[in-house]
Amino acid sequence: MASNACKLLCLVLFFAFVNQGYGDCHLNYLSVKQSKTGKLVQNKPEWEVRVTNPCKCKFQYTTLSCVGFQSVTPVATSLLSKSGDLCLLNAGKFIFPHVDFVFKYVWDTSFDLKVIDGVIVCP
C-alpha cells in the first residue's frame, strides 16, 4: 500500500515538473530589455529594445505601456505603433516563441516600457 502511494506521489511530482516547463504561458513571461547600441544620433544615444518570448506560445496584439515615448529617428509603425500612452508591437502580429522582437529608437534616456496586454495563442 505504501509503495503504491509512493509511486503515485512520484508520478504526480514528475508531471508537475514537466508541466512547469510546458504549462500555460502568461503575459509576464515576455521580457522587455533595453540597452544602448553605442551609436549617437544628434548627440542622443540609440536604444535597442529586445522583447523576448521564452514561452512555447505565440503572443498577438502585444501592447506596451509607453508613457511619453518619442524618438529622434522614426520607428516604423510596423514595429511600434503609438496611441496615447500605449504602444502596439509588430502591428499586432505574432511575437513568436524563442525569437526576439527588436526595434530601436533614439532619445536622451530610455523609456519605461512594460508589457500590459496581449493575446496568448498556444498550440
Side-chain angles (χ1 to χ4, degrees):
M1 178 87 166
S3 177
N4 286 341
C6 182
K7 286 179 186 176
L8 180 61
L9 179 61
C10 288
L11 191 60
V12 168
L13 289 174
F14 171 75
F15 282 115
F17 284 120
V18 168
N19 193 38
Q20 185 176 5
Y22 299 100
D24 293 338
C25 296
H26 302 281
L27 280 175
N28 62 357
Y29 283 27
L30 291 176
S31 71
V32 180
K33 295 193 185 327
Q34 299 183 66
S35 59
K36 290 182 182 178
T37 65
K39 182 178 175 183
L40 289 177
V41 177
Q42 297 178 17
N43 284 334
K44 296 179 188 302
E46 180 183 64
W47 296 87
E48 180 181 85
V49 179
R50 187 170 295 272
V51 180
T52 302
N53 176 8
C55 183
K56 69 172 183 168
C57 301
K58 299 179 280 191
F59 291 82
Q60 191 175 23
Y61 304 110
T62 306
T63 305
L64 304 177
S65 169
C66 59
V67 176
F69 181 84
Q70 51 191 320
S71 179
V72 168
T73 57
V75 177
T77 56
S78 61
L79 298 174
L80 186 76
S81 176
K82 186 173 185 318
S83 177
D85 290 338
L86 301 177
C87 290
L88 181 67
L89 286 181
N90 201 25
K93 297 177 187 169
F94 290 121
I95 306 295
F96 288 97
H98 311 291
V99 177
D100 290 349
F101 179 79
V102 178
F103 67 92
K104 296 176 183 177
Y105 68 92
V106 176
W107 200 248
D108 291 314
T109 57
S110 64
F111 291 92
D112 187 22
L113 304 175
K114 294 179 183 171
V115 176
I116 59 167
D117 200 10
V119 175
I120 301 165
V121 181
C122 291

